[in-house]
Amino acid sequence: MHPTPILLVLTAFGSLTTAHPSRHARANGGNAGGRGGSGPQPKPSGGFCDSVAVRRDWKDFSRDEKRAFVQAVQCLMQAPTMQLNPNWATASLYEDFTQVHNEPGQDIHHVAPFAPWHRWFIWLFLQRLKSDCGYTGELPYWSWDQDWRDLSQSYIWDSDPEVGFGTFGSYQVNNALNGSAITDGAFGNRQITYPFPHPFQRDLRSALHPSIPPDNGLYFQYRYNETRMSQILALDNYFDFRNDLEGEAPAEWGGIMGPHDAIHLATGGDLSSGVRGNISSPNDPLFYLHHANVDRFWKIWQSQGSNRLFDYSGNTMLQDPIAARIGTASLDDPLFFPGLMDGVTVRDAMDTTAYPLCYTYGRSRGTRSGWRVGVEA
């Protein structure tokens, strides 16, 4: 366990400011996101952060910390489903989260709400790990920006049966998601029910995939290498930043792929399951580490200018062609998490160090110094 940190935050002027944890009402306890029950929980309100948690890179977790996180995720996979939608069968509370991500579909992808919606969603996931499964740690992230030279050699592919996320699979044309069943790691040999029965799959892809332009490189690394990530962080408004971080449109529409889309598509299998008309990518536990890293880059971008914390604009509907999109997004727009939580708006998700989110990101070993945010773990 780590002591409560004093945060050193990079300001717009390049200096460090000290933020002392508040002594008011706690927001990091396991019940902040609600617990069980037959209906959605109300958004926590009226509190203050008594500390600001630090999310760290998975590779910086100790073995005991990794084991605790993996066991909590396995616990959610065994927890009873809430049966949020009678028209769909889900096998567990874990799959309920997949359904909540799937049902909004295009309303939360390639649109302005993409970043705040996913920020709140992975925070809700963490709260259920804590409240339902007794987890006391923080959500890790996968620093895929450090894996760009060869994604197949990433530290994330780990066959360890206690703490590994499993290896990366291969292309199997006869399987539903064109991936191979993952049989190793802590989540190996898992059978998934929602949105259709199938074994948990991955398929680490190459640029030979027919719908992806070949100039993105092997495993699409030119969409998330150091040069590209620096270009994205240099953008001076949320509209352009979100567009380039996520990707301006689905690849099959001919849109330029962002690092978010690139990692989904490169990993393949369940993590890129949008290719079948559903968006059930949270079926792969790596979804939460992937999106924590996406969120980390948004947090880094927000910390680089005094006017960026609440900078928010863009389209709220996915339309083709791209030029036809209308920028009507507002900080007061609602964010929907059916069956999990009510009353959340975009504004609630903008500041991770405010109640009830109460977290920041620690710097990963190997991260460029110019990308620093929060404290060094």
Side-chain angles (χ1 to χ4, degrees), residues 30-74:
N31 293 324
R35 178 184 179 88
S38 58
Q41 301 296 314
K43 179 191 69 178
S45 61
F48 298 88
C49 301
D50 75 340
S51 64
V52 177
V54 179
R55 292 183 178 177
R56 295 178 294 130
D57 194 337
W58 180 248
K59 70 170 178 279
D60 296 329
F61 274 43
S62 69
R63 184 174 183 85
D64 285 345
E65 289 173 323
K66 288 180 177 180
R67 184 185 297 111
F69 180 78
V70 165
Q71 289 177 347
V73 175
Q74 291 172 327

Side-chain angles (χ1 to χ4, degrees), residues 80-117:
T81 175
M82 295 186 292
Q83 290 294 341
L84 301 176
N85 186 334
N87 296 318
W88 291 95
T90 52
S92 65
L93 179 55
Y94 183 92
E95 288 193 4
D96 289 339
F97 272 83
T98 302
Q99 182 180 331
V100 170
H101 179 267
N102 183 37
E103 294 215 352
Q106 294 183 346
D107 290 340
I108 57 170
H109 294 93
H110 306 288
V111 290
F114 164 80
W117 192 96

